[in-house]
Amino acid sequence: MLFNLSNADFKQEVRITKESFLLLLNEIENHTVFTNASTYEQRPIWIQLAVCLEHLGFDGNGVSIGKVARHFRIGNRTVTLYSQH
């Protein structure tokens, strides 16, 4: 699990410290973008945030979407979706 990583490894994964990640998560967790009227549940907000941060931390080339998708075992479109809002 992400939170079991050392502080250095955590920062390498999502580009920010655990403390900053938790502060940011606390700020966004009640936003309406995370509500869902669908029959399909959204992934936990912390996972969506981790995907977004890792994606934004890449060089900006198109390869990063595939790398993040494989790392989190999600689809390329899901990486893009998590990074849009």
Side-chain angles (χ1 to χ4, degrees):
M1 181 176 185
L2 186 64
F3 294 106
N4 291 335
L5 295 173
S6 69
N7 290 332
D9 289 342
F10 186 94
K11 189 172 183 180
Q12 187 176 36
E13 285 292 318
V14 295
R15 313 296 196 251
I16 60 176
T17 65
K18 284 182 189 179
E19 180 181 5
S20 294
F21 185 91
L22 292 172
L23 287 170
L24 182 55
L25 181 62
N26 187 55
E27 287 293 318
I28 67 169
E29 66 186 350
N30 293 317
H31 192 281
T32 57
V33 74
F34 298 111
T35 59
N36 188 353
S38 173
T39 56
Y40 300 103
E41 267 189 50
Q42 288 189 26
R43 283 191 174 79
I45 298 167
W46 69 267
I47 292 175
Q48 295 182 51
L49 177 58
V51 169
C52 178
L53 290 171
E54 184 170 346
H55 179 224
L56 295 174
F58 272 93
D59 295 345
N61 60 36
V63 177
S64 67
I65 292 173
K67 285 184 177 184
V68 174
R70 285 187 299 279
H71 180 81
F72 283 96
R73 296 186 174 134
I74 58 177
N76 290 359
R77 177 72 181 114
T78 303
V79 173
T80 304
L81 180 66
Y82 289 175
S83 301
Q84 285 178 342
H85 298 286

